[in-house]
């Protein structure tokens, strides 16, 4: 660079091996902010000069935006200075030896920080004798690795959810002879708790990247396990709830003398099998694998993620199946809403579905906004969505049952009999008021339970 229009003279020799020395128009592609501006571009040199001072022929020279004053008359505003780019080249001559030549290729006149206009006279020639800038000289690029503290938080929530699911399973087994647990059909309680734990396990496969020593093959395997854990867990939860309610509904309709699991397992089997088929096709035909791509060619920033060619197609098909299971469960809970919560939990299932819908409505846009912006933030949002669905299902369904077991409520003494154990039904007894009274016994037990209370099924 050199300064004209004054007798003070500055000349910074710029070798043609210097990266981007004469590319003013390309200066923005080398640097994102001023902290990156070293000496790798025309504007980088310019900012370096403006931030220093030197002694010229007439005294100290300082480039700054301050207006000259009587105390410092040599302050020169940026727009009063002309800057030039010299292309310094060396060539070997057999007779004269090394010959160094310099050519003025570009100048900047009256340039302000927000409006820099360079005038080019000839292309700047680099060390390879071309006018194309060489590869960018930069530090180690940002890899967007998952933060260890965020990973710890995700794994902690996963362990908490799995622990609660296992603890609830143990509770159901320990109190399997309790009237409340038997009336709740333990087989389906185990089913939804298993699905809840399965969904929580999906957090594990999302919690690693290359920074934790996993190679691409291991990460690709984890990627493919993730939809299996999440989608199957979700389907098992809702199919278990639907089948449980449907069986109660069939018993109360008195259409058959015996309502066994096989009589209501059809929708469960069809939906689960459909999800398995879609996931199998996804795994074999369009493997969901780990890919790390460069998202910023200027800085070399990369972002690792699980992807496949037709991710949206498979995810949409599975999403439709998941929506069907939610709608079916919602419809059946509405049909059994008048039954005592000890048997159908309709109100708690309403709350569960409402919460899950809210999670999808607010969680999906957040994930879209955070896509490729921050690996840690994206991971944390995914974890919160998975964990909330998992733990809300288990706690909202099991919480009231635990309370009922430890703090039972006394009821009336009107008695009738419906045995949901095996499950046979006897004709309902009619009271003087014409009310049908019923008693329930657990699905998995063959012994009759005598319950107290009156249910009006008219």
């Amino acid at each position: 660079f050199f300064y004209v229009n004054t007798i003070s003279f500055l000349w910074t020799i710029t070798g043609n091996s210097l990266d981007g020395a004469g590319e003013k128009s390309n200066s923005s592609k080398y640097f994102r902010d001023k902290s990156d501006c070293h000496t790798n571009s025309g504007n980088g040199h310019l900012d370096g000069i403006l931030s220093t001072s030197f002694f010229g022929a007439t005294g100290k020279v300082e480039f700054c935006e301050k207006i000259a004053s009587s105390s410092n008359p040599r302050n020169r505003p940026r727009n009063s200075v002309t800057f030039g780019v010299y292309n310094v080249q060396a060539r070997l001559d057999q007779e004269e030896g090394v010959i160094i030549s310099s050519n003025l290729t570009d100048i900047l006149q009256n340039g302000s920080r927000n409006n820099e206009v360079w005038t080019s006279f000839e292309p700047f020639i680099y060390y390879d004798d071309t006018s194309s800038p060489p590869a960018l000289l930069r530090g180690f690029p940002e890899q967007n690795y998952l933060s260890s503290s965020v990973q710890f938080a995700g794994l902690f929530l996963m362990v908490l959810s799995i622990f609660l699911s296992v603890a609830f399973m143990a509770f159901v087994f320990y109190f399997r002879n309790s009237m409340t647990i038997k009336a709740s059909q333990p087989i389906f309680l185990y089913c939804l708790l298993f699905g809840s734990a399965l969904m929580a396990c999906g957090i594990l496969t999302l919690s690693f990247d290359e920074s934790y020593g996993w190679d691409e093959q291991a990460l690709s395997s984890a990627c493919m396990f993730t939809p299996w854990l999440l989608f199957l867990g979700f389907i098992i939860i809702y199919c278990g709830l639907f089948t449980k309610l449907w069986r109660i509904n069939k018993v109360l309709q008195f259409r058959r003398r015996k309502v066994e699991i096989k009589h209501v397992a059809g929708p469960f089997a069809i939906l689960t099998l459909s999800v398995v088929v879609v996931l199998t096709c996804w795994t074999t035909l369009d493997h969901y694998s780990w890919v790390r791509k460069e998202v910023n060619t200027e800085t070399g920033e990369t972002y690792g993620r699980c992807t496949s060619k037709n991710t949206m197609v498979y995810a949409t098909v599975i999403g439709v199946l998941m929506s069907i299971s939610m709608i079916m469960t919602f419809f059946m809970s509405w049909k059994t809403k008048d039954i005592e919560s000890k048997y159908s939990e309709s109100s708690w299932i309403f709350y569960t579905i409402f919460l899950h819908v809210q999670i999808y409505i607010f969680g999906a846009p957040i994930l879209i906004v955070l896509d490729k912006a921050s690996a840690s933030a994206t991971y944390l949002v995914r974890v919160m969505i998975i964990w909330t669905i998992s733990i809300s299902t288990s706690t909202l369904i099991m919480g009231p049952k635990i309370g009922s077991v430890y703090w039972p409520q006394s009821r009336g003494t009107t008695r009738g009999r419906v045995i949901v154990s095996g499950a046979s039904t006897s004709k309902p007894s009619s009271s003087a008021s014409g009310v049908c009274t019923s008693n329930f016994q657990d699905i998995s037990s063959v012994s009759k339970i005598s319950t107290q209370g009156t249910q009006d099924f008219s």
Side-chain angles (χ1 to χ4, degrees):
F1 287 84
F2 105 130
Y3 163 71
V4 288
N5 296 335
T6 69
I7 59 175
S8 298
F9 177 81
L10 170 66
W11 185 19
T12 303
I13 298 179
T14 308
N16 64 347
S17 62
L18 191 59
D19 193 2
E23 294 294 307
K24 298 71 48 203
S25 60
N26 294 331
S27 61
S28 60
K29 84 173 186 175
Y30 291 112
F31 306 108
R32 291 176 297 174
D33 51 51
K34 189 172 180 179
S35 62
D36 291 329
C37 296
H38 301 301
T39 55
N40 292 339
S41 72
N43 285 337
H45 281 299
L46 181 57
D47 288 338
I49 292 174
L50 292 175
S51 63
T52 60
S53 61
F54 62 94
F55 285 92
T58 60
K60 184 179 180 181
V61 177
E62 182 180 11
F63 298 95
C64 65
E65 302 299 330
K66 298 179 181 179
I67 300 175
S69 62
S70 58
S71 60
N72 195 350
R74 291 185 175 82
N75 281 341
R76 291 168 181 150
R78 179 189 179 107
N79 58 10
S80 68
V81 181
T82 299
F83 298 91
V85 175
Y86 273 76
N87 192 181
V88 180
Q89 295 176 296
R91 61 184 179 86
L92 181 63
D93 186 270
Q94 294 182 350
E95 297 181 355
E96 301 182 7
V98 178
I99 299 177
I100 298 178
S101 61
S102 61
N103 299 311
L104 180 65
T105 61
D106 306 84
I107 63 170
L108 172 66
Q109 291 178 306
N110 300 325
S112 63
R113 287 188 178 275
N114 299 322
N115 185 27
E116 292 181 346
V117 180
W118 288 83
T119 302
S120 180
F121 302 108
E122 60 181 69
F124 191 97
I125 306 301
Y126 294 90
Y127 70 99
D128 57 355
D129 293 329
T130 68
S131 58
S132 300
L136 178 63
L137 298 178
R138 59 194 177 199
F140 189 75
E142 173 63 46
Q143 301 296 319
N144 286 298
Y145 288 136
L146 180 63
S147 167
S148 58
S149 59
V150 174
Q151 184 208 42
F152 175 81
L155 294 177
F156 173 78
L157 293 177
M158 177 197 72
V159 172
L160 177 61
S161 182
I162 294 175
F163 172 79
L164 286 177
S165 295
V166 174
F168 288 146
M169 288 182 185
F171 173 84
V172 172
F173 179 79
Y174 185 79
F175 290 99
R176 60 189 180 278
N177 294 321
S178 167
M179 180 184 66
T180 300
I181 299 302
K182 284 186 175 182
S184 300
Q185 308 182 59
I187 185 65
F188 296 115
L189 294 181
Y190 288 131
C191 186
L192 71 91
L193 291 172
F194 173 74
S196 176
L198 197 64
M199 275 200 73
C201 289
I203 296 176
L204 178 65
T205 56
L206 295 172
S207 301
F208 296 92
D209 55 26
E210 296 92 340
S211 64
Y212 295 95
W214 288 40
D215 58 20
E216 185 176 341
Q217 182 177 359
L219 291 170
S220 295
S221 299
C223 286
M224 201 62 252
F225 271 113
T226 301
W228 281 89
L229 295 171
L230 298 181
F231 297 144
L232 270 182
F234 186 93
I235 286 293
I236 290 174
I237 288 173
Y238 274 93
C239 286
L241 290 173
F242 169 79
T243 308
K244 179 180 183 298
L245 296 175
W246 194 28
R247 194 179 188 197
I248 288 291
N249 186 61
K250 277 184 170 292
V251 168
L252 299 183
Q253 290 176 354
F254 304 107
R255 292 182 178 178
R256 16 182 350 120
R257 292 189 58 82
K258 193 173 184 180
V259 182
E260 297 180 349
I261 294 177
K262 64 181 180 181
H263 295 142
V264 292
F268 190 126
I270 292 173
L271 282 173
T272 304
L273 183 61
S274 299
V275 171
V276 169
V277 170
V278 175
L279 288 172
T280 301
C281 294
W282 193 354
T283 304
T284 56
L285 303 179
D286 189 25
H287 193 69
Y288 198 48
S289 56
W290 179 265
V291 176
R292 180 167 291 277
K293 293 183 178 181
E294 189 176 60
V295 296
N296 191 323
T297 57
E298 302 170 4
T299 63
E301 180 181 2
T302 64
Y303 196 97
R305 65 190 309 172
C306 298
T307 186
S308 64
K309 293 182 179 179
N310 301 303
T311 300
M312 288 303 300
V313 175
Y314 292 104
T316 301
V317 174
I318 296 177
V320 171
L321 295 174
M322 292 166 59
S323 300
I324 291 174
S325 67
M326 290 182 69
I327 294 171
M328 290 170 56
T329 304
F330 180 84
F331 174 74
M332 193 54 61
S333 63
W334 177 80
K335 288 193 68 175
T336 58
K337 65 182 183 300
D338 294 326
I339 302 175
E340 189 179 355
S341 60
K342 179 171 62 176
Y343 305 110
S344 69
E345 311 98 356
S346 295
S347 60
W348 296 108
I349 293 175
F350 278 134
Y351 297 147
T352 302
I353 296 175
F354 179 71
L355 177 61
H356 292 179
V357 171
Q358 282 187 313
I359 292 171
Y360 289 131
I361 291 176
F362 292 103
I366 294 175
L367 283 177
I368 294 174
V369 171
L370 292 176
D371 186 41
K372 296 183 181 180
S374 171
S376 295
T378 302
Y379 167 80
L380 194 58
V381 173
R382 289 175 178 172
V383 167
M384 292 305 299
I385 292 175
I386 297 169
W387 181 77
T388 305
I389 293 175
S390 173
I391 202 166
S392 64
T393 302
S394 57
T395 53
L396 287 175
I397 300 300
M398 290 302 302
K401 301 188 182 305
I402 295 175
S404 180
V405 168
Y406 284 106
W407 301 282
Q409 298 178 359
S410 61
R411 304 184 185 278
T413 57
T414 306
R415 301 178 59 182
R417 188 161 70 95
V418 174
I419 301 176
V420 195
S421 167
S424 63
T425 66
S426 63
K427 292 182 179 181
S429 59
S430 298
S431 63
S433 61
V435 177
C436 296
T437 58
S438 305
N439 269 338
F440 291 81
Q441 185 173 348
D442 175 52
I443 293 290
S444 62
S445 171
V446 294
S447 62
K448 181 179 69 176
I449 298 177
S450 176
T451 63
Q452 297 180 344
T454 302
Q455 296 289 340
D456 187 354
F457 301 110
S458 57

